Amino acid sequence: MLEPKIIVDFPHHNAECPLWHPQQQYLYWTDIPRGKLYRYNPQTQTHSEIYSGESVGGLTLQADGSLVLFKTKGTVQIWDEGKITTLIDEIPAEKHTRFNDAIADPAGRVFSGTMATSEDKGRLYRIDTDGSIHVILEELLVPNGMGFSPDLKYFYLTDSDTYTIYRFDYNQETGNITNQQNHIIIPQGQGVPDGMTVDAEGYIWSARWDGSSLYRYTPQGMEVLRIQFPALKVSCLAFGGSDYSEIYATTAGGNNRSQEGAGAGAIFHLQSKVKGVPEFTSRIVIS
């Protein structure tokens, strides 16, 4: 059984979006409500705050090593060691909400969802490499963790408030997704599906908010592994390390550990026998 160990014992309100930086060998993540970004150096076992400001709900790694930040009101910016460059100032339809999670595809496009509000449903956007913005899906509630099958035939999307991980046919040439299917439906009592990733074997890993666990599923959607955490809200995970055999998991609830668990809000590490794969890099450039 994989054993989660705390590597950053800091009471994040909602640590999310862990992202491994292979060039630097650092882990990045966001604390969404507090508007903070952090990174962790496994060599020195130290972490530092690198950004403070508007909430960041999603991250991708640009091909040049900088980060793309997906924020409130549809704002998209590049962060490069403290220097901020705006790619998209705002999306008028999203002025009352924020992006939630983001993933780059093999061509460097980015998929990112926006959360539903009392007035409007959530949406899934695709931002192409030229900065053009495309609404891909509507009528979502809390679009969340995403991933691709290793053969790039399928795209996965979590909608937390429908307790569903959807599967789509994915067209790498166009970036289009079609043929939406209910791939994994989470039973009551297992928490809310949050962030996710896909390992090198094509198995799906899903973090479970209010479920204290990470789940691993076969490509067909059958549960094969469940890892318990001393934190009620397990929010996301990412593979990292020099050979992608290490799992980093984020948690939330550090502002109320008496009810959320002794490890709530901490960053966890697990040594895995299963390897992950590098995330694709975004290549958004606006001339």
Side-chain angles (χ1 to χ4, degrees), residues 5 25 29 39 68-69 95 131 139 144 161 216 240 250 262:
K5 296 182 179 179
Q25 296 287 293
W29 69 92
R39 66 181 169 195
V68 184
L69 313 183
K95 63 173 58 180
E139 302 297 316
N144 220 317
D161 279 16
R216 186 182 188 231
T250 52

Side-chain angles (χ1 to χ4, degrees), residues 112-127:
S112 187
T114 54
M115 302 175 69
T117 67
S118 58
E119 293 83 24
D120 203 1
K121 292 288 189 178
R123 300 177 181 88
L124 179 68
Y125 287 89
R126 191 189 71 228
I127 301 172

Side-chain angles (χ1 to χ4, degrees), residues 9 33-34 49 82 95 102 113 119 123 144 156 164 168 171 194 207 214 234 276-277:
D9 192 7
R34 290 176 173 158
E49 179 186 309
K95 63 173 58 180
E119 293 83 24
R123 300 177 181 88
N144 220 317
Y156 302 103
T164 304
F168 301 82
N171 186 314
D194 202 331
L214 288 177
V234 184
V277 294

Side-chain angles (χ1 to χ4, degrees), residues 4-281:
K5 296 182 179 179
I6 293 175
I7 55 169
V8 178
D9 192 7
F10 183 79
H12 300 89
H13 186 80
N14 182 12
E16 271 274 15
C17 307
L19 179 65
W20 180 254
H21 197 305
Q23 294 102 316
Q24 299 176 352
Q25 296 287 293
Y26 289 164
L27 179 76
Y28 287 81
W29 69 92
T30 176
D31 189 344
I32 298 176
R34 290 176 173 158
K36 307 283 189 181
L37 278 179
Y38 300 91
R39 66 181 169 195
Y40 172 75
N41 182 345
Q43 297 300 317
T44 60
Q45 299 182 6
T46 58
H47 76 285
S48 58
E49 179 186 309
I50 61 166
Y51 162 91
S52 179
E54 191 178 357
S55 294
V56 177
L59 305 171
T60 61
L61 177 66
Q62 279 276 86
D64 66 1
S66 60
L67 301 179
V68 184
L69 313 183
F70 294 80
K71 306 170 90 173
T72 62
K73 303 177 184 177
T75 301
V76 181
Q77 296 177 326
I78 288 180
W79 179 92
D80 188 1
E81 294 301 328
K83 180 183 177 182
I84 300 288
T85 304
T86 299
L87 295 175
I88 299 171
D89 186 52
E90 68 174 43
I91 299 173
E94 308 302 337
K95 63 173 58 180
H96 300 300
T97 187
R98 64 168 173 81
F99 282 115
N100 194 52
D101 219 327
I103 192 170
D105 82 350
R109 314 173 189 99
V110 176
F111 292 89
S112 187
T114 54
M115 302 175 69
T117 67
S118 58
E119 293 83 24
D120 203 1
K121 292 288 189 178
R123 300 177 181 88
L124 179 68
Y125 287 89
R126 191 189 71 228
I127 301 172
D128 289 352
T129 55
D130 62 359
S132 58
I133 305 165
H134 307 271
V135 178
I136 302 300
L137 286 175
E138 299 185 270
E139 302 297 316
L140 297 168
L141 294 178
V142 183
N144 220 317
M146 293 168 279
F148 295 91
S149 62
D151 59 10
L152 300 178
K153 289 183 177 179
Y154 300 118
F155 171 77
Y156 302 103
L157 168 69
T158 305
D159 192 353
S160 294
D161 279 16
T162 64
Y163 294 82
T164 304
I165 299 173
Y166 299 111
R167 190 186 76 180
F168 301 82
D169 295 339
Y170 167 69
N171 186 314
Q172 183 178 347
E173 182 176 347
T174 64
N176 291 335
I177 58 174
T178 56
N179 190 27
Q180 181 175 346
Q181 304 286 325
N182 294 342
H183 192 55
I184 300 172
I185 299 176
I186 311 306
Q188 291 294 318
Q190 288 189 7
V192 179
D194 202 331
M196 64 158 284
T197 194
V198 181
D199 65 29
E201 299 176 2
Y203 284 58
I204 297 164
W205 293 73
S206 174
R208 209 49 54 83
W209 184 274
D210 284 340
S212 303
S213 302
L214 288 177
Y215 285 71
R216 186 182 188 231
Y217 299 91
T218 67
Q220 295 74 35
M222 180 181 298
E223 180 190 330
V224 293
L225 180 66
R226 189 183 306 187
I227 304 168
Q228 291 289 125
F229 282 71
L232 186 62
K233 293 176 170 61
V234 184
S235 57
C236 198
L237 78 153
F239 282 88
S242 59
D243 63 353
Y244 288 87
S245 66
E246 300 175 52
I247 296 173
Y248 294 94
T250 52
T251 64
N255 55 317
N256 189 9
R257 283 185 164 178
S258 63
Q259 294 186 25
E260 299 287 345
I267 309 298
F268 289 82
H269 172 269
L270 305 92
Q271 185 63 51
S272 174
K273 294 181 179 179
V274 179
K275 292 185 178 181
V277 294
E279 293 290 338
F280 297 114
T281 56

